[in-house]
Amino acid sequence: MTLHAPEFIGMISHRHGSEIHPPQGPILDPDYVARFARAHEDAGFDRILVAWHSSHPDTLLVASHAAAHAKRIGFMIAHRPGFIAPTLAARQFATFDQLTGGRAAIHVISGGNPAEQRADGDFLSHDERYARSDEYVGLLRRVWTSEAPFDHAGTYYRFERAYSEIKPVQKPHIPIYFGGSSDAAIAAAGRHADIYAFWGETLEQARESIAKVRASAARAGRDPAAIRFSLSFRPVLAGTEEAAWKRAKDILERIRAIRGDAFGKGNPKPESIGSKRLLDAAAGGAVRDKRLWTEVAAAVGAGANTTALVGTPEQVAESLAAYHAIGVSTFLIRGFDPLEDAVEYGNTLLPATRAAIAAGPVPVAAE
C-alpha cells in the first residue's frame, strides 16, 4: 500500500460560529472570511473547505473572496450537482483555477437531507441524486479535458457541441473530492473520486470504508491505489491529557446549555449513511480507539463532522498517524473555537503529526 504525504485541510465559514458559538451578526462577514483564510495559510494548511448549505452564501464566491486575500492556500469548494448545468460549473471552476493559479478543488456532495434539497427545487430520490452526480462529474471531467466540442445524451443531461475554451491550470483536471457513504455513493466515488472524503470514524470503520471504495474503483476499472482518502475530525487540544478532556467536557456542557431540551435528541440527516455511521460509533461508547470522542456527534445528531480526537498535540498526532498507516492521507480538521483552533493547530498539531507520520505510527488498537 502506497502511503501518501499528509495533507491538511481546514474549514472557513462565512461568519463566526460553531456548536458552542451561536452565529451572530450579518450572514456574510467578508473581513472574517479574509482573516480566517489568512490564518489557515499562516498555520501551514494545504487547503480550506468552503461548505455548502441551501440557505448560505454561495461557496464559489466566498472562496473567490478568500483567495483574493491569501497567496498560497488551496480551496476545497463544496458543490452540489443538479442546480446548474455541469458545462457551466466546469467553466466556473476552471475560471477560479486560472484566477488563483491552480488552487481549486471541487468537493462533490449529493445531499443527505431531502428537505434541504427541496429548498433548492431538487425532488429526486437519494439514489437518483447519486446517479445524477455520476453523470454530472463525468461531464465536468470531460469539459475540462476535451480539446474539441462533444455531444452528450444521458439520463439527466443532453448537450450538443459542449466545449469550454477555458481549461484548469491543474492537469489533467481539477482534483475531485467525493463524499457519501451509501452504496450508491460508494459506486459513484469508485468511478470518479480522486480523494474520497468521509467523517471521523473509528479505525475499524475507516478500514471498512477504504476497502469498499477501493473495491468500487477496481470494479470501475481504475487502479484502487490511485484513490486517496480524507477523514474529518474536530481535534480538542490542551497541554496535558487531563486538561484536554476537561476542555472536551466544557464543550459538551456548552452545547447542552445552548441546545436545551434538544440536547441528545439530535437532528440527523435522514438519508445520510455517514451520519448513521457516526451515531453507530457513538453507540459503542463515548470514547473509541483511546481518544476518538463521540459525545458531540450523539448530542447534535451527527449531521456534520462531529467526532473529535482529544489529547495533547502529540497524542492526537499519534492517532492521526494510525489513520495514515491504514491509508488516510488527508485530514480535514476544524475546531469548536474555529479561528483560534486553526492557529493552535498550525503551531502544534500539524508539525507534530508530520513528525509522527515520518517516524512511523505507534499502534492504536481498534475496538
Side-chain angles (χ1 to χ4, degrees):
M1 178 178 64
T2 301
L3 295 180
H4 299 275
E7 178 185 46
F8 295 95
I9 302 178
M11 179 177 172
I12 63 171
S13 181
H14 45 89
R15 62 177 173 180
H16 178 62
S18 76
E19 292 86 351
I20 64 172
H21 296 289
Q24 296 179 349
I27 185 66
L28 180 60
D29 184 341
D31 180 64
Y32 183 74
V33 170
R35 289 189 292 114
F36 214 175
R38 288 194 297 267
H40 280 86
E41 181 163 276
D42 293 343
F45 282 82
D46 298 286
R47 292 189 188 275
I48 35 183
L49 168 66
V50 183
W52 174 292
H53 189 277
S54 62
S55 65
H56 288 177
D58 181 79
T59 54
L60 196 59
L61 292 175
V62 171
S64 296
H65 178 73
H69 291 84
K71 298 178 180 179
R72 173 198 56 81
I73 200 161
F75 293 86
M76 176 185 178
I77 303 167
H79 181 76
R80 288 191 183 173
F83 302 121
I84 63 172
T87 49
L88 172 58
R91 296 196 301 275
Q92 289 177 332
F93 275 88
T95 302
F96 179 88
D97 204 48
Q98 287 284 347
L99 290 172
T100 61
R103 291 190 277 162
I106 185 170
H107 181 33
V108 178
I109 47 174
S110 300
N113 187 333
E116 189 178 345
Q117 294 296 124
R118 290 194 292 267
D120 273 328
D122 182 16
F123 289 83
L124 293 184
S125 70
H126 175 275
D127 286 2
E128 286 177 315
R129 292 198 297 271
Y130 279 101
R132 179 180 60 194
S133 292
D134 194 344
E135 184 176 344
Y136 189 99
V137 177
L139 285 164
L140 287 179
R141 182 183 288 111
R142 193 170 180 187
V143 171
W144 286 332
T145 58
S146 291
E147 295 301 326
F150 64 89
D151 296 342
H152 172 82
T155 303
Y156 299 96
Y157 300 101
R158 179 180 177 183
F159 300 108
E160 293 181 356
R161 297 188 60 77
Y163 180 68
S164 174
E165 293 185 13
I166 188 163
K167 305 294 185 186
V169 171
Q170 299 172 87
K171 304 300 180 187
H173 55 73
I174 290 168
I176 297 169
Y177 291 73
F178 201 100
S181 296
S182 66
D183 290 343
I186 297 294
R191 285 186 285 272
H192 298 295
D194 296 311
I195 306 96
Y196 174 73
F198 57 123
W199 290 333
E201 305 180 342
T202 66
L203 283 165
E204 181 181 357
Q205 287 177 311
R207 288 191 185 97
E208 178 188 20
S209 294
I210 290 169
K212 283 183 177 180
V213 174
R214 285 179 171 157
S216 176
R219 289 192 296 271
R222 299 177 64 198
D223 178 4
I227 297 182
R228 291 178 287 143
F229 295 88
S230 172
L231 206 53
S232 300
F233 294 106
R234 309 288 294 276
V236 178
L237 307 180
T240 67
E241 184 172 14
E242 180 182 9
W245 283 110
K246 181 183 183 303
R247 185 182 174 203
K249 181 180 178 181
D250 291 343
I251 288 169
L252 193 64
E253 289 305 310
R254 173 66 174 156
I255 294 171
R256 186 190 302 274
I258 292 171
R259 292 181 67 86
D261 291 341
F263 181 86
K265 297 177 182 178
N267 185 28
K269 295 179 180 178
E271 294 181 352
S272 172
I273 302 302
S275 291
K276 182 180 183 301
R277 290 176 68 84
L278 292 195
L279 293 175
D280 288 346
V287 182
R288 308 291 303 276
D289 297 338
K290 193 174 181 179
R291 61 187 69 262
L292 179 67
W293 183 45
T294 67
E295 287 187 289
V296 171
V300 302
N305 58 315
T306 42
T307 48
L309 293 170
V310 182
T312 67
E314 293 73 21
Q315 289 171 330
V316 172
E318 179 182 293
S319 293
L320 293 176
Y323 283 100
H324 184 267
I326 66 171
V328 176
S329 62
T330 296
F331 299 103
L332 198 165
I333 54 176
R334 64 186 180 103
F336 293 98
D337 293 303
L339 183 54
E340 297 83 358
D341 282 338
V343 174
E344 175 62 23
Y345 297 159
N347 289 334
T348 60
L349 182 57
L350 268 61
T353 304
R354 292 187 176 107
I357 289 173
V362 176
V364 177
E367 298 176 347

